[in-house]
Amino acid sequence: MTTLPEVGTNWSELRDRLQKMKQADYAWRVGRVPVFLYHHTEELLRISQEAYIEFFNENGLGRGKAFPSVAKLETEVIEMGIGLLGGGPRAGGTFTSGGTESIFLAIKTARDWARKEKGIDRPKIVMPVSCHPAASKAADYLRMDVVRTPLRPDFSPDIGLLEDAIDERTCMIYASAPGYPHGVFDPIEEIGAIAKNRGFWFHVDACVGGFLAPFVREIGYPIPAFDLSVSGVCSLSADIHKYGFGAKGASLLLFADREYQKYQRFEFSNWPRGTYITDTFQGTRGAGSIASAWAVMNTLGHAGYREIARVIMDAKQRLVEGIEQINGLQIIRPSYLCILLYASNDPRVDIYAVADRMDEMGWYVGKSVTPKAIHIALNPVVARALDDYLTDLAASVAHVRSTNMSE
Ligand SMILES: Cc1ncc(COP(=O)(O)O)c(C=O)c1O
C-alpha cells in the first residue's frame, strides 16, 4: 500500500518515474491505440498543451466574475459549436467535461422539463440499444427508466419497435449520430418528426460525429441530416475531446432553444455562504480544457478539420481495401465516418484470436460483441500506422489459421 512520503522527492526523479510508468502503456503516439485518444500532429498537441497550461490554475466556476477570460473563451467555443452544428439565433449551450456529462445534463434537463411541462414524475426514455451506456448511467443516477429497442440487421434502429416502446410515461427519445458500436447514424429526421408530433424531448448524441461529420460532408461525402437544424431536435452533445482534438475534459451540450436551460440549472439558496448556481455537474472546473478547445478550434478552423476528415476517410478506404485482400476477413458494413467493423468469414479463423494475436504484437484492439468482430475507430495517427497494421493483421490471421490446422 502506498503511503504519503514523509519528505518529498525532487521533480526530476519524479518525472523520470512518471515517464518509466508510461513505458508499459500501448504506444498511442505511433498509432497503436485506435480508441481513448485522438492525435493529429505533434504541433497541434503542443498548441493544445500550451493553451491548457496557460489556464492551468483558473477555475471555470469563477467565470462569472473572477475570470472574464474564461467566460469569453467558453462563450466563443460554444458559439463556434452552435454555428457548426445547425443552431439558430435561439440556440444556447454549455461547455462540459465530456460526453458523459453532456448526456447527463441533457437527460436531467429533459427530466425536469417533463416534470414541469407534462407532470410526469418518473419519466421514461426510449432509445435504440446501440446508444452509449452513458445515457443509461445518467437515467440511473436521475431515477428515470430507459427502454432500449432492437436494431435491424443493418444496425439501424427498428423505428416501429421504437414507437411501440413509447407509453404514457415517455418524455424523451434519444438517438446517436453515429452510435459507437457500429458507426451508424440513426435516422434523426424521422425520429425528430415522431418526437415533434408526440411532444417528446429529442436528444441527439453526436459525441463522436459532432466534430467530424460536418467536415466529412464539407469534403463531399453524403452525411445524413443530424444536427440542431433538424426539426424536433431539442439538444445535442458533441465532444471536443474526441474529433474536436481538444484536451480531455471538453464537450458541448447544445440546445435548439436556450430557454430550455432553465431546467438544466441547479440553484441552491439554503446555504450560509449565499446562493449557489451552476449549469454543470461539476462545481470547480479546470479551465485548461476550455483554453485548449479554444486554441485547437482556432488553430484548425474549417480547413484544418477538413484536412483531418480527408486523412480519416482516405485511411478508411485503404483499410477497407487492405482487409478485403486478407483471406478470411470481411468488412461488416461500411459506415459513414471513422468507425469500421470487420469479422471472420472462415471457420478456422476466430476473430477474437486474431485480436489477441494483434494485441501480442502491441496493438490495442477493440472486440465488438454484437456482431462478433474487431472494432476500429480511425484518427490521423492511426492512419499513419495503417501499413504496419495491415501487415500485422495479415500475419495474425495466418497465425490463427495455422494454429487451428495444426491442432
Ligand atoms: C456516442 C458516444 N456517446 C457518448 C460517449 C461518452 O463520452 P465520454 O467518454 O467523453 O464521457 C461516447 C464515448 O465513446 C460515445 O462514443
Side-chain angles (χ1 to χ4, degrees), residues 296-312:
V296 168
M297 288 165 83
N298 278 302
T299 298
L300 290 171
H302 277 258
Y305 282 115
R306 274 198 299 271
E307 185 197 326
I308 290 173
R310 203 167 283 118
V311 170
I312 289 173

Side-chain angles (χ1 to χ4, degrees), residues 201-221:
W201 189 283
F202 181 28
H203 179 78
V204 174
D205 177 350
C207 287
V208 168
F211 280 87
L212 180 58
F215 306 107
V216 171
R217 184 186 283 143
E218 280 181 22
I219 60 171
Y221 290 85

Side-chain angles (χ1 to χ4, degrees), residues 215-365:
F215 306 107
V216 171
R217 184 186 283 143
E218 280 181 22
I219 60 171
Y221 290 85
I223 296 289
F226 74 93
D227 63 16
L228 291 172
S229 65
V230 175
S231 175
V233 174
C234 301
S235 55
L236 176 146
S237 46
D239 289 357
I240 304 172
H241 66 196
K242 292 191 173 74
Y243 289 94
F245 288 83
K248 289 197 175 39
S251 169
L252 293 176
L253 169 60
L254 303 177
F255 294 92
D257 189 334
R258 58 181 168 277
E259 259 294 294
Y260 290 135
Q261 290 188 274
K262 64 178 184 236
Y263 299 111
Q264 172 191 356
R265 196 146 299 143
F266 179 79
E267 189 168 336
F268 190 74
S269 313
N270 183 18
W271 191 39
R273 175 65 171 72
T275 300
Y276 179 94
I277 303 174
T278 49
D279 280 350
T280 48
F281 184 85
Q282 301 179 92
T284 287
R285 296 189 293 132
S289 55
I290 302 171
S292 157
W294 181 91
V296 168
M297 288 165 83
N298 278 302
T299 298
L300 290 171
H302 277 258
Y305 282 115
R306 274 198 299 271
E307 185 197 326
I308 290 173
R310 203 167 283 118
V311 170
I312 289 173
M313 297 311 280
D314 288 352
K316 193 167 83 176
Q317 185 58 31
R318 275 201 292 143
L319 188 62
V320 167
E321 285 163 11
I323 288 171
E324 277 169 349
Q325 277 172 21
I326 300 174
N327 188 12
L329 296 184
Q330 71 178 67
I331 301 291
I332 293 209
R333 179 187 189 276
S335 65
Y336 282 100
L337 297 178
C338 49
I339 290 168
L340 201 69
L341 290 176
Y342 59 92
S344 162
N345 57 11
D346 178 343
R348 292 165 304 169
V349 177
D350 179 77
I351 199 70
Y352 287 172
V354 173
D356 292 341
R357 183 68 180 164
M358 288 290 278
D359 186 275
E360 283 163 22
M361 296 167 109
W363 299 94
Y364 186 94
V365 182

Side-chain angles (χ1 to χ4, degrees), residues 98-101 103 132 134 174 176 178-180 205 207-208 239 241-242:
T100 299
E101 190 184 2
I103 290 163
H132 194 273
Y174 183 111
S176 313
Y180 193 68
D205 177 350
C207 287
V208 168
D239 289 357
H241 66 196
K242 292 191 173 74

Side-chain angles (χ1 to χ4, degrees), residues 49-60 285-289 291:
Q49 285 170 340
E50 286 187 11
Y52 194 103
I53 296 294
E54 198 64 54
F55 277 78
F56 184 80
N57 222 10
E58 279 76 3
N59 186 342
R285 296 189 293 132
S289 55

Side-chain angles (χ1 to χ4, degrees), residues 371-382:
K372 183 173 178 179
I374 288 179
H375 177 282
I376 181 165
L378 286 160
N379 80 72
V381 68
V382 176

